């Protein structure tokens, strides 16, 4: 069973059902039922037209689900609209669905959560981690969003800012999480940049390209994480870096700074440094100051503490870190790194072990565990 194929077809099938009059919540349920049916049937009877099969089955599932509370005449009208057998046009409705999910009737945070779950393919757990909330809280938020849009006509697409937020989170999950969605996020952001002249769209595309350019160097042959300072920079994609920098420079020249442009500027400074030691940390701190002003995000201030530690020394970094809530994700990992640089190996080892226990994925957990073991070994000598 090709799970990647199913994932890639889901937005398009969902778009067909919505365009044919299904409300979003019912359409999503029908598509999910069709996917379950595909997992059961396809290994023995693979269809010649995968998308057409999914559209037909999902539409029938939708009809079955609505039959109990739909009048006979409306029910027969919908049956007449059933997609005919045979190949289905291969239009890509994914980006349109992102805009439709960002519906004006939803708050931005609810719209993002709904889109990530229904179109982006992320689990409720992954979305909750991105928003720093418990999984149960996020499940309730998504359920409320579905109820809000149930029966709503999707003729008023949402705003660009909400769609950018969704694309950013999808890319981050693909870049560092369990599901590889980063290439899809870049593809959709390219489409958006071609359709809309917006500096933050350009900023997000530049940010994605600059981060994605380092992907090959982020892991060792055994799958373990390689931190930025230790990466083999000859493995970075210089073409992607050049494209990202060019797009960023054009966006910054318009003097409408936004958070994605500021993040891209930080990524560009990392990409521009021939070695880790030559990184312009002073300028990176300045960009983090701008980013903190734009977003007020505690995660931005956490990353800023690392940059301050590099620019002004580990004790300055620890002073910046002291102003932040120690329950922030990766707070313990940052503290461990700064304490190690300050020479306090005992505290650093303890904090690395604590950070490993809280790590959001196996690769990060293993890396932090190795750091704790390395310091404990050094300390025992």
């Amino acid at each position: 069973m090709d799970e990647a194929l199913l994932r890639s077809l889901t937005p398009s099938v969902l778009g067909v059902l919505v365009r044919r009059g299904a409300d979003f919540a019912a359409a999503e349920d029908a598509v999910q039922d069709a996917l379950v049916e595909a997992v059961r049937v396809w290994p023995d009877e693979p269809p010649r037209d995968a998308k057409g099969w999914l559209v037909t089955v999902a539409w029938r599932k939708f009809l079955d689900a609505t039959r109990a509370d739909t009048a006979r005449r409306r029910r027969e009208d919908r049956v007449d609209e059933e997609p005919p057998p045979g190949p289905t046009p291969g239009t890509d409705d994914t980006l349109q669905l992102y805009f439709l999910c960002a519906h004006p009737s939803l708050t931005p945070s609810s719209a993002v959560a709904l889109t990530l779950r229904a179109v982006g393919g992320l689990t409720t757990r992954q979305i909750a981690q991105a928003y720093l909330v418990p999984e149960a809280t996020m499940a309730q938020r998504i359920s409320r969003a579905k109820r809000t849009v149930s029966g709503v006509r999707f003729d008023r697409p949402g705003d660009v800012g909400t769609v950018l937020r969704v694309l950013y989170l999808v890319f981050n999950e693909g870049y560092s999480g369990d599901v590889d969605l980063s290439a899809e996020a870049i593809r959709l952001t390219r489409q958006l940049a071609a359709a809309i002249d917006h500096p933050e769209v350009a900023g997000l595309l530049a940010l994605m390209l600059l981060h994605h350019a380092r992907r090959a160097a982020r892991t060792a042959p055994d799958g373990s994480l390689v931190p930025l300072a230790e990466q083999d920079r000859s493995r970075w994609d210089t073409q992607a870096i050049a494209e990202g920098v060019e797009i960023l420079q054009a966006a910054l020249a318009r003097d409408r700074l936004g958070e994605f442009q500021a993040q891209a500027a930080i990524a560009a400074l990392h990409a521009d440094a021939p070695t880790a030691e030559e990184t312009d940390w002073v300028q990176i701190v300045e960009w983090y100051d701008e980013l903190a002003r734009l977003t007020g995000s505690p995660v931005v201030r956490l990353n800023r503490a690392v940059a301050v530690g590099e620019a002004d020394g580990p004790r300055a970094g620890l002073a910046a870190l002291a102003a932040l809530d120690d329950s922030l994700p990766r707070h313990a990992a940052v503290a461990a790194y700064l304490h190690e640089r300050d020479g306090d190996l005992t505290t650093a080892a303890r904090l690395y072990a604590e950070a490993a226990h809280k790590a959001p994925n196996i690769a990060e957990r293993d890396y932090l565990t190795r750091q704790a073991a390395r310091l404990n070994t050094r300390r025992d000598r």
Side-chain angles (χ1 to χ4, degrees):
M1 171 58 59
D2 191 341
E3 295 183 7
L5 173 62
L6 288 176
R7 191 182 304 119
S8 69
L9 290 174
T10 298
S12 185
V13 175
L14 185 58
V16 171
L17 267 64
V18 170
R19 288 200 307 274
R20 290 183 176 276
D23 69 74
F24 187 86
E28 188 205 358
D29 289 341
V31 172
Q32 293 301 319
D33 288 343
L35 294 176
V36 171
E37 187 73 5
V39 171
R40 185 181 70 82
V41 172
W42 285 11
D44 296 323
E45 301 177 35
R48 286 177 294 180
D49 176 14
K51 179 182 172 182
W53 189 99
L54 285 172
V55 168
T56 300
V57 173
W59 187 257
R60 288 172 179 165
K61 296 287 185 182
F62 167 72
L63 292 179
D64 290 343
T66 57
R67 188 164 284 123
D69 27 76
T70 303
R72 178 177 296 276
R73 172 180 289 184
R74 181 58 183 147
R75 191 166 69 243
E76 291 174 351
D77 288 344
R78 288 188 184 277
V79 170
D80 291 340
E81 296 168 4
E82 180 177 334
T88 303
T91 55
D92 183 358
D93 302 305
T94 307
L95 192 56
Q96 180 188 9
L97 282 172
Y98 273 66
F99 274 95
L100 292 178
C101 287
H103 197 272
S105 63
L106 295 173
T107 64
S109 61
S110 294
V112 170
L114 177 62
T115 314
L116 289 172
R117 183 69 186 91
V119 188
L122 273 64
T123 66
T124 303
R125 175 182 59 81
Q126 291 168 325
I127 303 168
Q129 288 175 348
Y131 270 87
L132 312 182
V133 298
E135 183 174 350
T137 300
M138 183 53 65
Q140 292 174 355
R141 184 180 300 178
I142 294 171
S143 295
R144 284 196 300 270
K146 288 182 179 180
R147 288 196 298 270
T148 298
V149 300
S150 180
V152 170
R153 284 190 61 82
F154 281 78
D155 54 0
R156 291 186 299 151
D159 64 272
V160 175
T162 301
V163 173
L164 289 179
R165 176 64 50 192
V166 175
L167 289 168
Y168 174 65
L169 291 174
V170 169
F171 176 82
N172 278 346
E173 190 59 43
Y175 188 70
S176 60
D178 302 324
V179 182
D180 185 0
L181 297 168
S182 54
E184 173 69 357
I186 291 174
R187 183 183 70 84
L188 292 173
T189 306
R190 282 192 188 279
Q191 285 187 9
L192 188 57
I196 300 177
D197 183 19
H198 192 299
E200 273 294 82
V201 176
L204 179 57
L205 179 57
L207 175 64
M208 289 178 174
L209 290 169
L210 289 164
H211 277 304
H212 203 61
R214 303 200 301 258
R215 183 162 190 170
R218 290 184 70 248
T219 54
D222 62 0
S224 59
L225 286 180
V226 180
L228 177 60
E230 299 173 18
Q231 288 176 13
D232 178 359
R233 299 186 178 216
S234 68
R235 299 185 65 197
W236 289 1
D237 185 342
T238 55
Q239 184 175 350
I241 290 172
E243 182 185 4
V245 169
E246 182 180 0
I247 292 171
L248 173 63
Q249 288 174 338
L252 291 175
R254 301 178 64 176
D255 199 24
R256 290 170 53 194
L257 183 65
E259 62 175 294
F260 294 121
Q261 295 169 71
Q263 287 192 58
I266 293 169
L269 286 167
H270 283 298
D272 188 53
T275 65
E277 293 73 24
E278 296 174 86
T279 303
D280 189 346
W281 287 106
V282 172
Q283 195 173 168
I284 288 176
V285 171
E286 293 174 355
W287 275 111
Y288 270 123
D289 289 338
E290 288 285 351
L291 191 54
R293 179 183 62 79
L294 289 166
T295 66
S297 167
V299 175
V300 169
R301 293 197 292 271
L302 183 69
N303 291 330
R304 178 186 178 276
V306 176
V308 169
E310 298 290 352
D312 301 326
R315 294 195 179 182
L318 287 167
L321 189 65
L324 301 177
D325 187 342
D326 63 7
S327 66
L328 278 172
R330 297 185 173 89
H331 184 285
V334 170
Y337 174 74
L338 292 171
H339 276 291
E340 180 183 359
R341 288 201 60 220
D342 195 40
D344 186 351
L345 302 189
T346 300
T347 301
R350 175 179 58 79
L351 287 169
Y352 274 131
E354 178 184 328
H357 180 70
K358 300 176 180 178
N361 55 66
I362 294 174
E364 190 170 332
R365 183 196 65 194
D366 290 348
Y367 171 77
L368 293 167
T369 300
R370 286 195 300 273
Q371 298 309 300
R374 174 179 58 82
L375 293 187
N376 284 326
T377 300
R378 284 178 56 186
R379 192 183 55 189
D380 293 340
R381 286 177 180 170

